[in-house]
C-alpha cells in the first residue's frame, strides 16, 4: 500500500479502461440475468399426453448418492431411457447432507419431478401441507406397484395417506454379521444374554484373535450415531432380549424404549465394556467409515449395525487381504430365540412434487415411468446389470455376476435409488452360498421382526422438535456409557426430555393411535 | 489503508476562488463536472456497487420471514405475519442463556487470545532482516489458511484421539493416563482456539505487514540518530504507525463478534461437549435446516446480526472518542 497518487490516464489507456469496464459490466449483468428461465424440472413441452410413444419425456429426478456419482449418459442410464422413453436428468445428493439438502430444496420450492426423500418430520410436514401428490387412489392402475406387499406402503403413510413409492427393502434385514473363524478359534458361540455378550467382547479384545501380537482388536466397535437411523445398535440388542423397537405399545399406552428394562440392560453392558476398555474409548467421535476400515484390517469380530446381505460384500472385499477371514450371519437372538428390530421396509421413498408435476395427466406419466422400472427387463438391469458386462446366464435361467465390483460401481447407485426388490420380476441368482444365505435371511426373518408401533403415528411436537428430543437422549446414552453420568443422571436427562416435549409426544402418539384405529 | 483514503481526497483538484459568487449553482455543477471528468473511475466502481445491491442488499428482504410463519410453498409474500413471536420464544427458551454464554465466551476468547497474535507475529516478521527467510516463513504460515476446516479437524482428530493418537500415546508413556481431548468439555474451547490460531494467524498478518511496510524509513533513521534502540523504535514509531489499522480491524472484527464459525464448531461438537459447544450458529442450523423452522432460525440469526451491528457502532463511536479514525 504505497501512497503514490493515481496517475492521470493517458488517452490510449483511457480507451482500454473503457473497454474493460463495459466488459466487466456486461458480464456481471449477464450473470445476474442467467438462471431465470432455465428452471429445472417441469417445462411446457412436457404435456404428459404423449405417454409411451413419441418424443422422450423429460424427467428430472433427485436421488441419494451411493458410492461415486455415475457418469452422465452411461450405459445403464441409456438403457433405462430407451426402455421407458424418457430423457433423464438425475441429480445425485451426497448422503452426508441428504436431509439438509432436501430441506433446502423444499424451502426454496425448487423441486424435480421425482424427489427421493426420507420418512422424517420435515418431509411429513411438507406432505401434510400439500407439497406432494397423494398416490393412494392411483396405485391400483399400476400392476407392478400394486403387486407389492401392502406393509411397504403402510409404513410410509402420513395420516393414513400415501405420498410416495418406497424404495422397497426387506423388513427383516437385521442380523449379526460376524467372523466365524474368530468364534471357532476361541471355541465361542454367538452370545444371547448380556453376560454372554460381555464374555465374547472380553475374549476378542484380550485374546488377540487376529494374531498380530497386539491387543488392538474388538468384539465390536461403536461409532458416533450408533443408535440413530433404522439400524440402531442399542435398540437391536434390546429387542433381541425382549425389548421394544423404539416404542412400546400396550393397550394403547406408549412407552419410549429408554424407559424399559431391556434397553437399560444393554446400556449397562456397554457402560461396563467401556469401563473395562473392551470397546473403543473414542466412539463418541468415531466415524462409521473408520469402523469399516478397522473391519477390513481384520480388527473387528462382529458388525451390529448392518444387514444380512452385507455378509457378501465383506467376504468378497477381504478375500485377498485376509484370506483366513470367514464371515457368517445370524439373526439377533436372545435366550428365547431370534427376535429382531423390524426395519421400516424402505430406503426412503420417491415423492412427486406438485410444483414440478402440474396436472393429473403428467402425474400418470411419471407413475407409468415408476411402474415400468419394475418390469422384468428393468428389474434385471437394476439388480443384475447388463448381460455380458456385469452378469451372465447360467443353467438356462439363472444369472451369475461376472464382475461384482463393476456392478457395485456402475449399477448399484441405480439399484439403491430406484424401484426393485429381489424376488420380483428378476431371474434367480446363482451366487456363493453365503450371498444366497444373506438374501434369504433378509427375506425370511420378517417372521421374527418386532415393528415400531409409533412409526406412522402423528405427533406435532415430534415434528417440530424431534431432532432436539432425540439429541437429548442420544447424548445422555453416550454420557452414560462413558460413565460421565450415573443412573440418577440418566434419569435426570429423561426428565429433561419429558419436559422438553417428550410427554407431549407420548400423549400425541396415543391419541393418533386411537384415531388411526389402533 | 489510510494512504488510499488520502489519495482519493487529494487527487480531485479543486478550482478555488473564482466561483464564490454563484456558490449554490457552482457547487452543483462542480459535483457534476467532477463526475463527468472522472467518469471512468466511477464506472469502475459500478460492478462492486452492483455486487452489493444484488447479492447483499436485495436478499435482505428475506429477513422479514423472521416476523412471519414462513411456509415455503406460500412464499415470502404469501406467509402469514407473526409479529415478534419467534423472538419471544427464543428469549424464553431454556437453552438461551447457555447458548449466549457459549457464544460470548468463544467471542471473547477470540478477541483476547486470537486478535493480538497476528500483530505480534507481524511485528516479529518485520524485524527479520534476512529477506529470504522472512519470505519463507510468511509462505509457510499462510498455507494453513487454505486448508478446509474438515481437513483441519480431521488432522487434529488423528493427533488427539485416545485410540493411537500421537499426543495421547506420548502422554500414556509419560504419565500412564490418557486425556480425551476431543470429548472432555473442559478442553473444548482450548482446542477450538488452538485450531483457529493454527489456521488463521498467518493469514491475519498480511494487512499488518502491509501497514508496516508503509512506515517512513526516515523516522527510524532519525530515531537511531537520537540513540533509540530496537524496542524504543518499536514502541515510538512502529506501533503508533499501525495503530489506526489495528483499530479499524478491531472494529471490523467486532462486527462478526458473535460468528463462531459454524463449520468449525459443528465439526468439533460431540455428545459430551455439547453443553459448552453449542452456539447460536449451530443452533440456527439445528432449528432451521434439520427441523425446518425457517422463521424461528431467521429470528435467531437476525438477533445475532443485531448484536454485531450494535458492537460495530459502539466501537466506532469509542474509537472516534479517543481520537482515532473509525470505519466511517
Amino acid at each position: 500500500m504505497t501512497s503514490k497518487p493515481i496517475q492521470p490516464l493517458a488517452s490510449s489507456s483511457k480507451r482500454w479502461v473503457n473497454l474493460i469496464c463495459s466488459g466487466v459490466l456486461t458480464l456481471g449483468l449477464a450473470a445476474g440475468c442467467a438462471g431465470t428461465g432455465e428452471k429445472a424440472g417441469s417445462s411446457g413441452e412436457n404435456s404428459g399426453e404423449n405417454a409411451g410413444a413419441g418424443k422422450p419425456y423429460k424427467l428430472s429426478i433427485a436421488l441419494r448418492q451411493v458410492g461415486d456419482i455415475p457418469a452422465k449418459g452411461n450405459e445403464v442410464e441409456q438403457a433405462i431411457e430407451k426402455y421407458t422413453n424418457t430423457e433423464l436428468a438425475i441429480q445425485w445428493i451426497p448422503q452426508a447432507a441428504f436431509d439438509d439438502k432436501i430441506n433446502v430444496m423444499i424451502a426454496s420450492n425448487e423441486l424435480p419431478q421425482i424427489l427421493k426423500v426420507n420418512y422424517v418430520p420435515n418431509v411429513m410436514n411438507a406432505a401434510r401441507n400439500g407439497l406432494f401428490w397423494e398416490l393412494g387412489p392411483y396405485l391400483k392402475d399400476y400392476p407392478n406397484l400394486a403387486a407389492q406387499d401392502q406393509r411397504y406402503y403402510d409404513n410410509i403413510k402420513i395420516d393414513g395417506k400415501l405420498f410416495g413409492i418406497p424404495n422397497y427393502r426387506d423388513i427383516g434385514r437385521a442380523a449379526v454379521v460376524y467372523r466365524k473363524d474368530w468364534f471357532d478359534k476361541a471355541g465361542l458361540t454367538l452370545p444371547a444374554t448380556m453376560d454372554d455378550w460381555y464374555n465374547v467382547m472380553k475374549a476378542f479384545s484380550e485374546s488377540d484373535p487376529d494374531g498380530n501380537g497386539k491387543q488392538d482388536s474388538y468384539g465390536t466397535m461403536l461409532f458416533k450415531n450408533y443408535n440413530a437411523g433404522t439400524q440402531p445398535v442399542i435398540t437391536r440388542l434390546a429387542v433381541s432380549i425382549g425389548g421394544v423397537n423404539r416404542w412400546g405399545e400396550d393397550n394403547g399406552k406408549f412407552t419410549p424404549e429408554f424407559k424399559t428394562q431391556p434397553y437399560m440392560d444393554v446400556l449397562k453392558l456397554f457402560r461396563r465394556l467401556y469401563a473395562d476398555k473392551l470397546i473403543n474409548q473414542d466412539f463418541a467421535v468415531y466415524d462409521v467409515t473408520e469402523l469399516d476400515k478397522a473391519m477390513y484390517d481384520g480388527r473387528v469380530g462382529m458388525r451390529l449395525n448392518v444387514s444380512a446381505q452385507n455378509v457378501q460384500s465383506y467376504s468378497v472385499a477381504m478375500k485377498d487381504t485376509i484370506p483366513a477371514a470367514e464371515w457368517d450371519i445370524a439373526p439377533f437372538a436372545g435366550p428365547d430365540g431370534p427376535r429382531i428390530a423390524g426395519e421400516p421396509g424402505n430406503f426412503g421413498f420417491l415423492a412427486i412434487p406438485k410444483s414440478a408435476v402440474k396436472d393429473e395427466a403428467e402425474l400418470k406419466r411419471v407413475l407409468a415411468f415408476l411402474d415400468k422400472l419394475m418390469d422384468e427387463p428393468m428389474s434385471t438391469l437394476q439388480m443384475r446389470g447388463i448381460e455380458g458386462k456385469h452378469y451372465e446366464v447360467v443353467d438356462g435361467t439363472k444369472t451369475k455376476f461376472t464382475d461384482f465390483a463393476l456392478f457395485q460401481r456402475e449399477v448399484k447407485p441405480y439399484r439403491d435409488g430406484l424401484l426393485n426388490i429381489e424376488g420380483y420380476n428378476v431371474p434367480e441368482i446363482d451366487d456363493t452360498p453365503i450371498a444366497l444365505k444373506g438374501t434369504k435371511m433378509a427375506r425370511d426373518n420378517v417372521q421374527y421382526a418386532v415393528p415400531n408401533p409409533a412409526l406412522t403415528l402423528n405427533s406435532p411436537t415430534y415434528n417440530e422438535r424431534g431432532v432436539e428430543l432425540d439429541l437429548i437422549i442420544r447424548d445422555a446414552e453416550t454420557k452414560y456409557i462413558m460413565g460421565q453420568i450415573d443412573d440418577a443422571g440418566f434419569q435426570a436427562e429423561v426428565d429433561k426430555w419429558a419436559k422438553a416435549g417428550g410427554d407431549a409426544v407420548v400423549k400425541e402418539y396415543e391419541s393418533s393411535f386411537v384415531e388411526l384405529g389402533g | 489503508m489510510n494512504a488510499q483514503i488520502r489519495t482519493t481526497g487529494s487527487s480531485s483538484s479543486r478550482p478555488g476562488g473564482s466561483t464564490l459568487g454563484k456558490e449554490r449553482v457552482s457547487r452543483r455543477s462542480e459535483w457534476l463536472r467532477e463526475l463527468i471528468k472522472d467518469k471512468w473511475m466511477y464506472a469502475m466502481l459500478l460492478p462492486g456497487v452492483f455486487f452489493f445491491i444484488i447479492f447483499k442488499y436485495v436478499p435482505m428482504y428475506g429477513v422479514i420471514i423472521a416476523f412471519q410463519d414462513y411456509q415455503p410453498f406460500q412464499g415470502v409474500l404469501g406467509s402469514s405475519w407473526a409479529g415478534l413471536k419467534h423472538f419471544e420464544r427464543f428469549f424464553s427458551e431454556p437453552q438461551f442463556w447457555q447458548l449466549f454464554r457459549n457464544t460470548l465466551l468463544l467471542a471473547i476468547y477470540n478477541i483476547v487470545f486470537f486478535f493480538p497474535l497476528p500483530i505480534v507475529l507481524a511485528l516479529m516478521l518485520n524485524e527479520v532482516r534476512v529477506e529470504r527467510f522472512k519470505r519463507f516463513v510468511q509462505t509457510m504460515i499462510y498455507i494453513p489458511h487454505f486448508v478446509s476446516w474438515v481437513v483441519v479437524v480431521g488432522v487434529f482428530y488423528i493427533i488427539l484421539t485416545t485410540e493411537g493418537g500421537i499426543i495421547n500415546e506420548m502422554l500414556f508413556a509419560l504419565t500412564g493416563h490418557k486425556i480425551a481431548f476431543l470429548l472432555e468439555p473442559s478442553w473444548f474451547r482450548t482446542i477450538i482456539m488452538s485450531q483457529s490460531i493454527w489456521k488463521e494467524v498467518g493469514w491475519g498478518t498480511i494487512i499488518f505487514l502491509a501497514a508496516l511496510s508503509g512506515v517512513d524509513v526516515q523516522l527510524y533513521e532519525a530515531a537511531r540518530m537520537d540513540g533509540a534502540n530496537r524496542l524504543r523504535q518499536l514502541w515510538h514509531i512502529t506501533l503508533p504507525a499501525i495503530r489506526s489499522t489495528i483499530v479499524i480491524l478491531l472494529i471490523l472484527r467486532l462486527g462478526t463478534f458473535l460468528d463462531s464459525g459454524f463449520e468449525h464448531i459443528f465439526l468439533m461438537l460431540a455428545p459430551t461437549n455439547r453443553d459448552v459447544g453449542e452456539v447460536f450458529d449451530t443452533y440456527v442450523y439445528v432449528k432451521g435446516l434439520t427441523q425446518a423452522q425457517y422463521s424461528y432460525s431467521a429470528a435467531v440469526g437476525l438477533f445475532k446480526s443485531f448484536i454485531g451491528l450494535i458492537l460495530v457502532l459502539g466501537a466506532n463511536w469509542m474509537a472516534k472518542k479517543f481520537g482515532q479514525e473509525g470505519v466511517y
Side-chain angles (χ1 to χ4, degrees):
Chain A
M1 307 239 157
T2 51
S3 51
K4 231 194 270 171
I6 294 171
Q7 298 289 326
L9 294 164
S11 65
S12 67
S13 56
K14 224 175 196 173
R15 215 173 301 138
W16 271 110
V17 172
N18 182 353
L19 255 173
I20 294 168
C21 285
S22 42
V24 168
L25 265 181
T26 325
L27 273 179
L29 285 176
C33 296
T36 57
E38 47 160 337
K39 212 179 163 195
S42 65
S43 55
E45 48 195 295
N46 276 336
S47 58
E49 272 117 57
N50 57 346
K55 226 166 65 169
Y57 175 64
K58 276 192 189 157
L59 193 59
S60 56
I61 310 179
L63 296 178
R64 173 158 33 173
Q65 180 189 342
V66 180
D68 290 331
I69 292 179
K72 241 183 144 33
N74 62 70
E75 264 183 90
V76 178
E77 209 162 301
Q78 277 178 11
I80 298 174
E81 287 180 333
K82 199 167 156 224
Y83 187 83
T84 56
N85 192 28
T86 50
E87 196 183 316
L88 299 179
I90 302 182
Q91 182 188 357
W92 300 93
I93 302 173
Q95 188 149 8
F98 183 77
D99 282 334
D100 293 351
K101 173 77 182 166
I102 295 293
N103 285 344
V104 171
M105 288 169 83
I106 290 176
S108 60
N109 214 354
E110 285 192 9
L111 300 165
Q113 282 134 298
I114 297 179
L115 178 70
K116 156 78 171 255
V117 291
N118 287 330
Y119 191 72
V120 291
N122 281 336
V123 169
M124 293 158 79
N125 281 343
R128 285 193 185 98
N129 283 314
L131 204 65
F132 305 129
W133 283 94
E134 198 210 328
L135 305 179
Y138 300 97
L139 208 59
K140 59 178 190 319
D141 301 333
Y142 300 90
N144 290 326
L145 303 180
Q148 306 309 319
D149 191 329
Q150 190 56 37
R151 263 182 298 187
Y152 292 126
Y153 296 110
D154 287 345
N155 281 353
I156 58 162
K157 280 194 174 160
I158 297 160
D159 302 339
K161 289 184 193 147
L162 182 70
F163 288 98
I165 307 295
N167 299 104
Y168 311 104
R169 285 293 180 282
D170 288 308
I171 289 170
R173 302 198 301 166
V176 183
V177 183
Y178 64 97
R179 287 281 298 270
K180 188 165 183 301
D181 53 321
W182 284 21
F183 276 88
D184 289 349
K185 205 168 109 191
L188 291 166
T189 52
L190 271 184
T193 65
M194 289 298 107
D195 285 336
D196 293 348
W197 277 99
Y198 182 84
N199 293 333
V200 167
M201 295 288 288
K202 190 176 170 75
F204 283 166
S205 308
E206 292 179 349
S207 67
D208 185 26
D210 57 338
N212 68 350
K214 281 190 274 185
Q215 276 193 21
D216 62 350
S217 47
Y218 289 105
T220 193
M221 289 169 96
L222 287 185
F223 47 93
K224 51 181 171 188
N225 304 331
Y226 56 95
N227 213 32
T230 56
Q231 307 187 316
V233 173
I234 307 288
T235 306
R236 282 177 163 196
L237 281 175
V239 169
S240 79
I241 55 169
V244 299
N245 186 359
R246 295 292 193 202
W247 286 86
E249 182 266 319
D250 186 25
N251 280 328
K253 289 266 163 264
F254 278 72
T255 317
E257 55 182 359
F258 44 85
K259 285 189 179 174
T260 64
Q261 194 53 45
Y263 194 84
M264 289 313 292
D265 288 345
V266 178
L267 280 187
K268 285 203 173 78
L269 164 75
F270 278 102
R271 185 182 169 97
R272 203 171 144 210
L273 289 170
Y274 184 88
D276 295 348
K277 300 204 166 24
L278 302 178
I279 191 107
N280 49 326
Q281 302 287 297
D282 64 345
F283 72 91
V285 288
Y286 197 68
D287 205 82
V288 73
T289 52
E290 295 288 317
L291 169 54
D292 287 337
K293 264 186 239 157
M295 176 189 74
Y296 289 128
D297 288 344
R299 292 171 49 213
V300 180
M302 291 176 284
R303 288 300 297 270
L304 306 179
N305 69 311
V306 294
S307 56
Q309 297 101 319
N310 284 89
V311 71
Q312 182 198 15
S313 48
Y314 295 168
S315 305
V316 172
M318 288 176 72
K319 207 170 58 196
D320 298 326
T321 50
I322 305 178
E326 191 189 332
W327 287 96
D328 203 354
I329 38 172
F332 281 85
D336 303 327
R339 209 166 174 277
I340 60 175
E343 288 184 25
N346 64 68
F347 185 57
F349 62 94
L350 303 177
I352 305 175
K354 282 184 184 163
S355 60
V357 176
K358 296 285 183 209
D359 52 24
E360 209 177 344
E362 201 182 344
L363 172 68
K364 286 183 173 163
R365 182 69 188 88
V366 176
L367 280 171
F369 165 78
L370 292 173
D371 192 55
K372 271 190 175 171
L373 284 178
M374 297 195 79
D375 282 354
E376 201 271 337
M378 286 292 100
S379 282
T380 308
L381 175 72
Q382 292 173 65
M383 278 183 285
R384 303 289 183 261
I386 295 163
E387 187 172 358
K389 194 172 180 193
H390 306 109
Y391 77 93
E392 61 185 10
V393 178
V394 291
D395 303 340
T397 55
K398 288 188 172 176
T399 52
K400 188 181 168 83
F401 283 118
T402 49
D403 194 339
F404 188 63
L406 192 68
F407 171 86
Q408 292 275 52
R409 200 162 59 243
E410 295 185 347
V411 189
K412 191 176 188 279
Y414 298 95
R415 184 196 69 186
D416 286 0
L418 299 174
L419 301 180
N420 53 74
I421 188 159
E422 196 67 56
Y424 183 81
N425 269 351
V426 65
E428 230 182 291
I429 193 163
D430 181 18
D431 211 330
T432 56
I434 191 68
L436 292 177
K437 186 177 175 184
T439 317
K440 191 168 151 31
M441 190 176 283
R443 175 88 37 77
D444 294 348
N445 278 1
V446 65
Q447 56 177 318
Y448 306 123
V450 178
N452 171 0
L455 190 65
T456 57
L457 299 183
N458 177 26
S459 157
T461 307
Y462 191 79
N463 295 342
E464 194 188 309
R465 31 201 344 164
V467 177
E468 278 168 272
L469 289 173
D470 287 346
L471 211 56
I472 294 175
I473 297 300
R474 292 288 120 72
D475 288 357
E477 286 162 1
T478 300
K479 287 182 191 165
Y480 185 78
I481 292 175
M482 292 178 68
Q484 293 189 351
I485 52 175
D486 56 9
D487 290 82
F490 188 78
Q491 190 52 47
E493 293 293 318
V494 172
D495 291 343
K496 190 170 142 199
W497 171 86
K499 240 190 254 147
D503 280 343
V505 173
V506 174
K507 284 208 186 70
E508 287 161 6
Y509 275 162
E510 282 168 359
S511 60
S512 171
F513 183 73
V514 173
E515 258 170 55
L516 290 174
Chain B
M1 296 253 117
N2 293 330
Q4 268 190 340
I5 295 163
R6 256 182 267 125
T7 312
T8 35
S10 61
S11 72
S12 56
S13 57
R14 219 167 282 266
S18 63
T19 50
L20 269 172
K22 305 165 276 179
E23 200 175 319
R24 192 171 297 170
V25 184
S26 75
R27 201 177 273 174
R28 179 89 184 264
S29 63
E30 188 188 331
W31 181 83
L32 235 155
R33 205 168 54 235
E34 293 215 352
L35 187 71
I36 292 166
K37 186 178 138 225
D38 291 332
K39 58 180 180 294
W40 299 121
M41 292 288 174
Y42 289 107
M44 277 199 269
L45 257 180
L46 282 178
V49 171
F50 276 121
F51 170 83
F52 278 102
I53 290 178
I54 294 171
F55 294 107
K56 300 281 174 189
Y57 283 88
V58 173
M60 264 191 216
Y61 89 100
V63 302
I64 64 175
I65 70 167
F67 306 96
Q68 289 181 327
D69 280 322
Y70 176 65
Q71 295 287 350
F73 12 88
Q74 287 164 346
V76 175
L77 297 174
S79 299
S80 58
W81 294 94
L84 294 175
K85 187 176 95 177
H86 300 295
F87 292 92
E88 278 162 21
R89 174 177 159 200
F90 179 47
F91 298 134
S92 58
E93 202 64 55
Q95 249 185 311
F96 175 77
W97 287 110
Q98 190 192 35
L99 290 170
F100 193 73
R101 182 172 166 267
N102 291 345
T103 312
L104 197 68
L105 272 178
L106 274 178
I108 292 171
Y109 277 38
N110 239 317
I111 296 288
V112 174
F113 295 111
F114 178 81
F115 185 77
L117 279 179
I119 303 173
V120 175
L121 199 61
L123 290 175
M124 283 160 74
L125 278 173
N126 196 45
E127 296 296 313
V128 173
R129 285 291 161 253
V130 186
E131 197 61 23
R132 192 176 282 188
F133 175 70
K134 185 176 161 187
R135 290 264 166 78
F136 175 75
V137 172
Q138 271 181 282
T139 312
M140 291 310 283
I141 59 176
Y142 291 166
I143 288 176
H145 171 77
F146 299 100
V147 180
S148 81
W149 275 120
V150 182
V151 177
V152 174
V153 171
V155 169
F156 269 74
Y157 169 76
I158 292 170
I159 295 173
L160 294 177
T161 175
T162 50
E163 301 274 313
I166 184 160
I167 303 269
N168 263 313
E169 291 304 319
M170 281 187 339
L171 267 179
F172 189 70
L174 291 174
T175 64
H177 293 288
K178 289 184 177 180
I179 300 174
F181 293 104
L182 300 166
L183 294 172
E184 210 57 66
S186 53
W187 278 95
F188 183 77
R189 292 192 186 99
T190 315
I191 291 185
I192 290 281
M193 286 323 296
S194 322
Q195 286 168 334
S196 297
I197 289 170
W198 181 80
K199 188 171 178 313
E200 297 297 346
V201 89
W203 191 251
T205 60
I206 290 181
I207 288 177
F208 294 111
L209 281 173
L212 284 172
S213 71
V215 182
D216 195 340
V217 192
Q218 290 179 13
L219 290 174
Y220 290 111
E221 276 167 19
R224 267 201 299 277
M225 298 286 266
D226 291 343
N229 61 17
R230 272 281 168 87
L231 274 178
R232 283 275 153 210
Q233 291 174 31
L234 182 78
W235 187 252
H236 290 293
I237 301 172
T238 317
L239 273 179
I242 62 168
R243 190 168 53 200
S244 56
T245 310
I246 295 176
V247 169
I248 284 179
L249 283 183
L250 185 65
I251 295 173
L252 290 178
R253 178 99 204 172
L254 285 172
T256 53
F257 185 64
L258 292 184
D259 289 349
S260 326
F262 166 74
E263 215 183 332
H264 184 195
I265 307 275
F266 181 69
L267 289 165
M268 288 301 294
L269 276 181
T272 47
N273 62 24
R274 216 182 300 279
D275 287 346
V276 297
E278 190 93 78
V279 292
F280 288 137
D281 290 330
T282 53
Y283 186 70
V284 167
Y285 163 79
V286 169
K287 288 291 178 183
L289 267 182
T290 68
Q291 297 190 137
Q293 296 171 30
Y294 309 108
S295 289
Y296 179 59
S297 60
V300 177
L302 190 60
F303 166 73
K304 213 189 73 175
S305 308
F306 185 67
I307 300 258
L309 181 68
I310 291 177
L311 284 170
V312 167
L313 294 178
N316 203 57
W317 178 79
M318 290 274 279
K320 286 196 168 156
K321 197 105 181 144
F322 287 102
Q324 293 292 326
E325 267 184 71
V327 280
Y328 57 89

